[in-house]
Amino acid sequence: MDNRTRFREKPISTRGTPEDEWQPWLASTPFLPVPLTECDRLVVVAPHPDDEVLGVGALMATAAAGGTPVVVVAVTDGAASHPGSPTLSPDALAAARIAESNRSTALLGVGEPLRLGLPDGGVRAHEHELTTRLVDVLTATSGEGKRVWVLATWRGDGHPDHEATGRAAAEACSMTGHRLVEYPVWMWHWARPADPAVPWDRMRVLTPAAEILARKRRAVDEFRTQILPLSEDPRDAAIVPPWVLARLMRTTEWVLW
């Protein structure tokens, strides 16, 4: 069973692996720290507006506060998060999510994302195009001799857009010689501690300052279309309800090195 199947078979409404199951295991397992001092520039690739903040918002803010330039690349505008919504059309939803994303990254001390406008839910069909466009972004934003990290959603995260984005970023890194660093988002939902489907030997941890965590909290609060229901209609249910946020709003962040 691949990770997309595991994610598909565990809907968000089932709550997934609870945070109180993750916490003791994560706390008792030694992981190396994220060596952020080895990075001169961050390029963070997000399949949907909010993935970058939920996954590595504190890492982005820490880097920016330390003077490391951070560029966010938004692959899609998130128009398909609520299919059939009686409240917001896909165009209206995309506009709302772009505005949320701009406010959120500003709170982290990062500029507005570069927006590629690929179709939400259809990144896999545009994977080659995404690779090409990421190479263009990396070529345009990477100075000579700079140590560039490309942060992208994990290729095994379970969501098709996340996995396609990770593959495209990996290929772009292979072509440009930059370091790929992957961040999980939905893995925390469908996996379990010590799950053999996760490459734990590659996992590294960041423990941000309290002020940085507070900024991430405020940034996440901007994503109202995702963390709150759009209406009482079941088609407008929150995509990132409290039990999902609990796994993504820890005092630590985790990446695959």
Side-chain angles (χ1 to χ4, degrees), residues 21-39:
E21 185 174 332
W22 280 114
Q23 276 297 336
W25 185 78
L26 291 172
S28 64
T29 306
F31 292 100
L32 293 172
V34 177
L36 198 48
T37 57
E38 298 177 10
C39 176

Side-chain angles (χ1 to χ4, degrees), residues 47-49 75-85 88-98 115 117-122 161 225-226 230 239:
H48 314 100
V75 177
T76 80
D77 294 331
S81 69
H82 290 79
S85 169
L88 290 177
S89 69
D91 286 347
L93 185 56
R97 297 193 69 181
I98 288 170
R115 302 197 181 278
L118 296 183
D120 186 3
D161 281 353
T225 63
Q226 304 302 295
L230 301 179
I239 302 301

